[in-house]
Every structure is written in C-alpha cells, then in structure tokens.
Amino acid sequence: MNLKQLSQLLGLSQTTVSRALNGYPEVNAETRRRVLEAVRETGYRPNRAAQRLATGRAGSIGLVMPTADGIYSDVHFGEFLAGLGDEAVKHDFHFVINPSHPDDEAATCRKLVASGNVDAIFLAYMREKDPRIPMLKSLKTPFVVHGRTIGVPTDYPFLDIDNTGAFYDAARLLAQLGHRHFALINGPDHLAFAMRRKKGAKRALAEHGLTLPEECIYHARMTDEQGFQAMERFLRLDTPPTAILCSSTVLALGAVRAINQAGLKLGQDISLIAHDDVLPMLRPENFSVPLTTTRSSLRAAGQRIAQRLIAGILNLEVLPQQELWKTDLIVRASTGPAPAGKPA
Amino acid sequence: MNLKQLSQLLGLSQTTVSRALNGYPEVNAETRRRVLEAVRETGYRPNRAAQRLATGRAGSIGLVMPTADGIYSDVHFGEFLAGLGDEAVKHDFHFVINPSHPDDEAATCRKLVASGNVDAIFLAYMREKDPRIPMLKSLKTPFVVHGRTIGVPTDYPFLDIDNTGAFYDAARLLAQLGHRHFALINGPDHLAFAMRRKKGAKRALAEHGLTLPEECIYHARMTDEQGFQAMERFLRLDTPPTAILCSSTVLALGAVRAINQAGLKLGQDISLIAHDDVLPMLRPENFSVPLTTTRSSLRAAGQRIAQRLIAGILNLEVLPQQELWKTDLIVRASTGPAPAGKPA
DNA sequence: GGCCAAATTCAAAGCGCTTTGGATTTTCTT
DNA sequence: AAGAAAATCCAAAGCGCTTTGAATTTGGCC
C-alpha cells in the first residue's frame, strides 16, 4: 500500500493525502478525518526512503561511539543510548552509530556529517576547547552537545549537568562532616566534565581552608578496576584520605572493594560520595553500604537530547537550546563524620 | 555533486557511471577507471536515500533493545552493539534501534519489520520456543539470531557460543579439583543461554556423581547486585557451596564482594569460574583474585553477525548460516582445590 | 567486405514521496 | 448578487538513484 493506491482508494489526489498526513492546514477537516481513518484501516505507512529523498532529510541522527578494539565500551554510553532510543523510536528516527577510536572523534564526526546520512549530530565526551564545536558550527548540520566544553564561549546547543555544583555540594558535605583529607577518583583528565568536577570539589574545599593535593587526584576511565587501583593507591599514602569523591558508581564499585579489602569500614573509617548516573544495573542503594550520591539520570538526558534534536530537525516547537541540570545530593550510609584523632 | 553532474562531467550516461560504481561487468575497464578517478577527485558520494528508494533496500539493520524505564540496560548489549557498529559502519549501514520492554520483544520486532525501515533483523535474548523465530521465518526479512532457541528445530541462521560446553568444562574442572558442593549464578531462567549453561554444568556434575540442588541455582539479571545477593544466599546454606559457576563477570563482581565480606578467600575457601564476555571495562585478570573464566568475545560475535547480515542483504559471498563458537577455559587464581575436611 | 555475436553505452522509466503553481469551489463583502 | 478573498484540492515536476530494453561499437571469421 503506497500513497498512490491510498489516494485512489479515497478518490483524492496524492497531494491532498500527503498534506492531510503531514498536518498541513489547507485541507478540510472532514477530508483529513477520512484520510486518517483510511490509514488506520489499511495500515498504510509512508516509505521512509521516499520521504527522505523528497524532503532531503535523512531521518536519522548520528553519533560517534568511542570504542575500538581493546578500548572500553562505556557502560554510561549504553545507558545514554537507551534514552536516545526511547525518544527516537517515537518519531521513527534512525541512528547512525559510527564507532571510532576516541582520539579520532573529530575526524569521524566530520565524515559522518559529510556522508549526508544524518541530519543532526549528537556530540559527547567533550574536551577542553573541543575542535568539534567550531567544526559543526561551520557546517550547517544541527547538533546538540551532551556536556560543555571549557575555554570557549558556550554559544552552542548543549545539555549538561551541573558537574561543578554536584562536586561542590558533595565536597562541602564531607567537609562539614569534619573530613580534612580528601581524594578524588575522576574520569579521564582530558574530558570537560572531569575538569568541572575537580573544580567544584576544590572550590568547596578552599572555602573550608582545605586543598586537594595532586597525589589525591586520580584520573582514569570509569571502570571498576580503575576505581580499585585508585583507592589502593590512596590508601598507601602517608596520610590516607578519609573522604573520597568518585565520578561514577562504577568507579565506586572498585573503590569500595579496595576499602573493604583494607579492612576499613565505609561510612565510618572512610566516607565516599559517588556521582550516580542512575545506571539500572548498579544502584547505589544496593551497595553493601548504601552509597551517598549526587544523582542525575543519564537516560533522561538521552531522552531530552533526542527530543531536542528531533524537534530541531522537524521544526516542531522551539525547545531551549541550553540546559543545565542540577543534580540531587542523596545522603545514604557511605558518609559519616570524620574519624576521630588520626593515628599519627 | 550527484550522479547526473558526475556523468556529465565524464561525458557518460548515468547508467554507465552507476554501473561502473556498482561493479557491473558490462563496463569497459578503462571507463571504470576514469569513473573511479572522478569520484576520488570530486568526492562524490551517492545519496543513500535515493539508493534505498531505487533498490528497495533500506540499508539498515534493525534490532530490538530490551530496555524500559526501570528496566536494566544491559552492559552486555552495549558491548555487542559495539561489534555490530564496527562492521556496519564499514558498509555504510544504519541501525534502527527499537527499545522495547523485554516482554514485548516479539511485538516490537514485528512492528520493526512491518515498518519497512530495515532489511534485516538481529535477534537476541532467545527464549525457549521463542515465537520470534517462526514469525520471522514467515516474513521474508532475513535475520540472524544471536544464540539459539530450545525446543524447536534449529533450522534458522544463528551464531551461538557453546554454552553447554563452556559450563560443562568449568564444572568438570571444579569437580576434578575435588569440589563436591556447587552453585550456579545464572542469567534469567527464561533465556536459552542460561538453560544451556545449567544443563552443561549438571551434565559434568552427573559424570562425577554430583548434583546441583535447586537451592544452589540462582537466576537473575546479570548485574553486580544480583551476584552479591546470590552469593549471600548461598553462604547462608547449611552446607555452603565451595564451587561457584557464574554466568557473567558482572555477576562475579557482586559474588566476589559477598565472598570477601564473609571473610572467605577466593581460590582457597571457595572457587569460582565466571563466563567472560570480554567486557573491556571488567577484565577478569584485574579482579583482586584473578578470575578463572570461560571466554568468548561478545564484540567479536557482534562483528560477525553484522558481517553475515550485511552479506546476506547485499548478496555477497555466502557465509555459513549456523555457527557455534567454542569458548576458551582460562584458568587463573580463583580456582583451587576443594578445601579439606569441611567443618561439619 | 559482410555478417553475427559480444562488448559497451545510453535513454528513459520508475521507486514513493513532497511541494510548487494553479485550478476550482466556497465564503464573505458591500 | 457580483467581485474578491479564502478555503480546498489537484496535476505535475522533481528528489537522485537503479535498471530495463534498446542502440551503437567493436571484434572475429569466412
């Protein structure tokens, strides 16, 4: 069943049927009703390829998935993708997922746009002065950034969470609990979100006359094993930190393991706050000692970005171009007052 | 730059250029060379939408992603997807990722096919007598199954790993090490791979005169927390198992945590073998006690399936329609001889 | 040189949809 | 009730590619 057949069935022209379907105003209400009904009865579905050809829209959004042989596939990415998918499927949009070595993202992204296969680009894993921003601005392809760059004007569409604020809040809470020795297990140091989190933590500490020494900062991919190694290293320091900030519950997983292994009690000997992306497979309340977290749903972010991307392509309502989401600080058992007099 | 312009530039007809590009035999070698060169110089790229419309091929493969609000987004799925993507991008193929509640997969799958947006379907999370198999066979859409059903003839294209064999091997090794009390932390009980793994384990045990009692079998989503809960439950039994089989390193993560928390030593008091999908974020050799595993790369499976799917669509070489991959048993430190005389 | 087959090349007809530029009909004005 | 403005609807022209059916060249052979 195609448009032609459908229009013949209705005794209308293809033009009118097409317009009725696409919500154009110049079609009689009654006519539109008939068309819609016929669609329901016949199960007609427009051919997407023909639509794409006729409109010049690809009907798909492109994303670069940082992954390569031997390189991690990020859990966080999967969760975000689920959100994107939720929304995209509602509008019959496709994805073009272009795997790329993390270091080639800019080039891959350019190729993806040049392929003409996508009419919008989703950008993530932002770096300082990320070259992809000026590149995409110079092209006409719409895009939305998940996160923000650092060091360049943020005059582009983005959705980010308040990373600085989140880690400021977390660090302040721990400082108020009397902790004096902090450590941060963070994401890769070239990524903007990690920089902001560090900044937020440092700011809160500074307000309490505290610092975050270099040896108490660990940057790495956000995996369990990295969390473990980071924590092990911290515990070997002369004055091990009693307050840990952690950029992901995945990192926290490893960190907690190291803490247990060292025979320390989480929430007593040592406190930890992790950022929680609301990964359904790893819930902070299910840790052996439930984790205090700063929370913001990655999946919700994915949904929202898809919404904006698609609205932009289809010229639907105009959505805000820049959004900064606050995070929730949720206190559970992994945070407690600083242990008393430290054994010098 | 489109075909028309390109052909004018070359003083050829669109027909000839198109044929030259698509490898048809009836075009002069010299002409083809000229065409290819012009393509290189002009950077011409065929419009995919037009190709799709003309050929009737969608140029994309569809997959149903089991995920819904509150439902897990499976790490394993992400890793597999990375493999699919690796391969798909080489052939300029898209994905249509259709999120679906796990219980609606069949319906979602049917809709996906009916949408005409995909020219092949990838199927996973097979169940016993899975209804999607007959459904897809009745439609003409090509598909490849990751895994196999149970209870119906396997006369469809699939790629599976030898789950039975993997868990047979693992269980046998532990039995040979003198273990007498086994437990299995498995995937969801309605999924075929989990059934096969259980069967493999039971078979090996039977050969040693051993059994796997019901209370020593735990079926659940493969998350860290489930692994933890399973292990905790096992440790509370009157005669706790000393040999654990685990369907994923993610489950093992939680299980190991529970073991440590109980003050037991992995590889001494208790032995554990996990199936390793080669998730880059969770490597068995990096566990505090490196894990003995049965190994098979999920990403490689993704690549291979994409290869077969695409070859099928494009009528390239004929690839085998059924593949069963053996797994590697890799012994590390988490397995050791059964502890001596158990304290009764 | 003439004739047939093989090798090349081409013109044109779609694929199924959107959209432009008019027609045609209906509804207001005055 | 006539003329103008709205409201509806339509025919036809693409969008850029593939593919059919035919035309044109070239090559081989007697």
Side-chain angles (χ1 to χ4, degrees), chain B residues 11-344:
Chain B
L12 288 169
S13 71
Q14 295 190 37
T15 311
T16 303
V17 177
S18 170
R19 285 188 168 144
L21 257 32
N22 294 313
Y24 282 72
E26 60 268 68
V27 47
N28 190 299
E30 165 61 12
T31 307
R32 187 184 310 257
R33 200 195 52 68
R34 278 179 54 216
V35 171
L36 259 23
E37 187 177 319
V39 166
R40 205 169 316 116
E41 281 170 9
T42 61
Y44 165 78
R45 310 238 329 165
N47 178 311
R48 292 291 280 167
Q51 279 186 321
R52 295 195 230 282
L53 180 57
T55 58
R57 283 196 228 104
S60 54
I61 76 185
L63 44 149
V64 173
M65 168 156 75
T67 166
D69 283 344
I71 305 289
Y72 62 119
S73 75
D74 191 347
V75 220
H76 305 84
F77 185 84
E79 179 64 10
F80 182 86
L81 186 61
L84 275 185
D86 278 349
E87 195 61 29
V89 76
K90 288 185 199 161
H91 299 274
D92 211 0
F93 263 68
H94 296 195
F95 290 114
V96 182
I97 296 177
N98 208 332
S100 158
H101 187 95
D103 297 339
D104 282 344
E105 282 177 331
T108 306
C109 182
R110 163 175 278 123
K111 259 186 283 180
L112 190 54
V113 174
S115 80
N117 277 328
V118 301
D119 28 39
I121 286 280
F122 156 75
L123 236 51
Y125 298 96
M126 279 296 109
R127 302 163 181 233
E128 191 171 358
K129 297 189 185 150
D130 201 295
R132 290 172 291 174
I133 300 281
M135 186 191 88
L136 278 174
K137 284 209 294 196
S138 75
L139 306 171
K140 63 214 157 298
T141 311
F143 65 98
V144 171
V145 175
H146 184 208
R148 273 171 302 164
T149 52
I150 286 183
V152 295
T154 51
D155 55 349
Y156 48 84
F158 70 80
L159 182 153
D160 198 3
I161 60 171
D162 183 7
N163 284 301
T164 314
F167 276 60
Y168 174 87
D169 290 348
R172 191 180 53 179
L173 172 62
L174 290 166
Q176 287 169 345
L177 284 167
H179 291 274
R180 290 294 168 264
H181 301 287
F182 284 72
L184 170 64
I185 311 182
N186 209 347
D189 60 358
H190 59 273
L191 296 185
F193 81 87
M195 301 181 183
R196 286 215 165 75
R197 289 177 182 182
K198 175 158 55 175
K199 187 174 71 176
K202 283 189 167 175
R203 181 177 302 166
L205 295 187
E207 290 179 4
H208 288 261
L210 301 170
T211 60
L212 190 60
E214 273 309 308
E215 68 270 23
C216 287
I217 301 178
Y218 190 99
H219 284 286
R221 300 189 272 121
M222 301 202 289
T223 68
D224 166 76
E225 79 188 75
Q226 290 296 335
F228 182 80
Q229 288 183 19
M231 197 64 224
E232 272 201 320
R233 178 180 306 175
F234 291 152
L235 292 178
R236 265 187 257 111
L237 292 173
D238 291 337
T239 33
T242 63
I244 313 293
L245 297 169
C246 207
S247 258
S248 162
T249 46
V250 180
L251 285 168
L253 204 57
V256 169
R257 189 151 49 86
I259 290 171
N260 288 336
Q261 191 165 304
L264 298 173
K265 289 272 170 271
L266 186 59
Q268 293 174 240
D269 305 320
I270 196 162
S271 287
L272 184 149
I273 300 182
H275 181 70
D276 175 23
D277 292 299
V278 196
L279 307 178
M281 75 151 222
L282 206 56
R283 308 175 62 184
E285 56 269 48
N286 288 323
F287 275 63
S288 47
V289 175
L291 247 46
T292 296
T293 60
T294 55
R295 184 179 68 186
S296 184
S297 164
L298 206 45
R299 180 181 298 227
Q303 289 173 334
R304 179 60 177 176
I305 287 184
Q307 226 172 56
R308 281 174 50 184
L309 242 16
I310 292 172
I313 295 167
L314 301 180
N315 300 310
L316 303 176
E317 352 106 77
V318 177
L319 299 174
Q321 284 305 288
Q322 310 194 326
E323 293 178 75
L324 191 64
W325 289 4
K326 291 287 173 203
T327 60
D328 304 322
L329 178 62
I330 298 178
V331 179
R332 298 197 186 80
S334 71
T335 41
K342 72 174 169 266

Side-chain angles (χ1 to χ4, degrees), chain A residues 47-105:
Chain A
N47 178 310
R48 292 291 281 165
Q51 279 185 322
R52 296 195 228 283
L53 180 56
T55 58
R57 282 196 228 101
S60 53
I61 76 187
L63 44 149
V64 173
M65 168 155 77
T67 166
D69 282 343
I71 305 290
Y72 60 118
S73 75
D74 191 347
V75 220
H76 305 85
F77 185 85
E79 179 63 11
F80 182 88
L81 186 61
L84 275 184
D86 278 350
E87 195 61 31
V89 77
K90 289 185 198 161
H91 299 274
D92 212 359
F93 263 67
H94 297 194
F95 291 113
V96 182
I97 296 177
N98 208 333
S100 158
H101 187 97
D103 297 338
D104 282 345
E105 281 177 331

Side-chain angles (χ1 to χ4, degrees), chain A residues 14-145:
Chain A
Q14 295 189 37
T15 310
T16 304
V17 178
S18 170
R19 284 185 169 147
L21 257 31
N22 294 313
Y24 282 71
E26 60 268 69
V27 48
N28 191 300
E30 165 61 13
T31 307
R32 187 184 311 260
R33 199 196 51 69
R34 279 178 54 215
V35 171
L36 259 23
E37 186 176 320
V39 166
R40 206 169 317 115
E41 282 171 7
T42 60
Y44 164 78
R45 311 239 330 166
N47 178 310
R48 292 291 281 165
Q51 279 185 322
R52 296 195 228 283
L53 180 56
T55 58
R57 282 196 228 101
S60 53
I61 76 187
L63 44 149
V64 173
M65 168 155 77
T67 166
D69 282 343
I71 305 290
Y72 60 118
S73 75
D74 191 347
V75 220
H76 305 85
F77 185 85
E79 179 63 11
F80 182 88
L81 186 61
L84 275 184
D86 278 350
E87 195 61 31
V89 77
K90 289 185 198 161
H91 299 274
D92 212 359
F93 263 67
H94 297 194
F95 291 113
V96 182
I97 296 177
N98 208 333
S100 158
H101 187 97
D103 297 338
D104 282 345
E105 281 177 331
T108 305
C109 184
R110 161 174 280 123
K111 259 187 283 180
L112 190 54
V113 174
S115 80
N117 277 328
V118 301
D119 28 37
I121 286 280
F122 156 74
L123 235 50
Y125 299 96
M126 279 295 109
R127 303 165 180 230
E128 191 172 358
K129 297 190 185 148
D130 201 295
R132 289 172 293 174
I133 300 282
M135 185 191 89
L136 278 174
K137 284 208 295 195
S138 75
L139 306 172
K140 63 216 157 295
T141 312
F143 65 99
V144 171
V145 175

Side-chain angles (χ1 to χ4, degrees), chain A:
Chain A
M1 170 64 63
N2 58 24
L3 225 213
K4 191 170 179 182
Q5 296 169 339
L6 184 67
S7 59
Q8 280 168 354
L9 189 82
L10 284 159
L12 289 168
S13 72
Q14 295 189 37
T15 310
T16 304
V17 178
S18 170
R19 284 185 169 147
L21 257 31
N22 294 313
Y24 282 71
E26 60 268 69
V27 48
N28 191 300
E30 165 61 13
T31 307
R32 187 184 311 260
R33 199 196 51 69
R34 279 178 54 215
V35 171
L36 259 23
E37 186 176 320
V39 166
R40 206 169 317 115
E41 282 171 7
T42 60
Y44 164 78
R45 311 239 330 166
N47 178 310
R48 292 291 281 165
Q51 279 185 322
R52 296 195 228 283
L53 180 56
T55 58
R57 282 196 228 101
S60 53
I61 76 187
L63 44 149
V64 173
M65 168 155 77
T67 166
D69 282 343
I71 305 290
Y72 60 118
S73 75
D74 191 347
V75 220
H76 305 85
F77 185 85
E79 179 63 11
F80 182 88
L81 186 61
L84 275 184
D86 278 350
E87 195 61 31
V89 77
K90 289 185 198 161
H91 299 274
D92 212 359
F93 263 67
H94 297 194
F95 291 113
V96 182
I97 296 177
N98 208 333
S100 158
H101 187 97
D103 297 338
D104 282 345
E105 281 177 331
T108 305
C109 184
R110 161 174 280 123
K111 259 187 283 180
L112 190 54
V113 174
S115 80
N117 277 328
V118 301
D119 28 37
I121 286 280
F122 156 74
L123 235 50
Y125 299 96
M126 279 295 109
R127 303 165 180 230
E128 191 172 358
K129 297 190 185 148
D130 201 295
R132 289 172 293 174
I133 300 282
M135 185 191 89
L136 278 174
K137 284 208 295 195
S138 75
L139 306 172
K140 63 216 157 295
T141 312
F143 65 99
V144 171
V145 175
H146 185 209
R148 275 170 299 164
T149 52
I150 287 184
V152 293
T154 51
D155 55 349
Y156 48 85
F158 69 81
L159 183 153
D160 198 3
I161 60 171
D162 182 7
N163 285 301
T164 314
F167 276 60
Y168 174 87
D169 291 348
R172 191 179 54 177
L173 172 62
L174 290 168
Q176 287 169 346
L177 284 168
H179 290 274
R180 292 293 168 263
H181 301 286
F182 284 72
L184 170 63
I185 310 181
N186 208 348
D189 60 359
H190 58 273
L191 297 185
F193 82 86
M195 299 181 186
R196 287 215 165 74
R197 290 178 181 181
K198 176 159 53 175
K199 186 173 72 177
K202 283 189 167 175
R203 180 178 303 166
L205 294 188
E207 290 179 6
H208 288 261
L210 301 170
T211 60
L212 190 60
E214 273 309 309
E215 69 269 22
C216 286
I217 301 178
Y218 190 97
H219 284 286
R221 301 190 272 119
M222 302 203 288
T223 68
D224 166 77
E225 78 187 75
Q226 291 296 335
F228 182 80
Q229 288 183 19
M231 197 65 223
E232 271 202 321
R233 179 181 306 176
F234 293 151
L235 293 177
R236 266 187 257 111
L237 292 173
D238 291 337
T239 33
T242 64
I244 313 293
L245 297 170
C246 207
S247 258
S248 162
T249 45
V250 180
L251 285 168
L253 204 56
V256 169
R257 189 151 49 86
I259 290 170
N260 289 336
Q261 190 165 305
L264 298 173
K265 289 271 170 269
L266 186 59
Q268 293 174 241
D269 305 319
I270 197 163
S271 287
L272 183 149
I273 300 183
H275 180 71
D276 175 21
D277 292 299
V278 196
L279 305 179
M281 76 150 221
L282 205 56
R283 308 175 61 184
E285 57 269 48
N286 288 324
F287 275 63
S288 46
V289 174
L291 247 44
T292 296
T293 59
T294 54
R295 183 179 66 185
S296 183
S297 164
L298 206 47
R299 180 182 298 228
Q303 288 173 334
R304 179 60 176 177
I305 287 184
Q307 228 172 53
R308 281 174 50 185
L309 243 16
I310 292 172
I313 295 167
L314 301 181
N315 300 311
L316 303 176
E317 354 106 78
V318 177
L319 299 175
Q321 284 305 288
Q322 308 195 326
E323 293 178 78
L324 191 64
W325 289 3
K326 292 285 173 204
T327 60
D328 304 321
L329 178 63
I330 298 177
V331 179
R332 298 196 185 81
S334 70
T335 42
K342 72 174 168 272

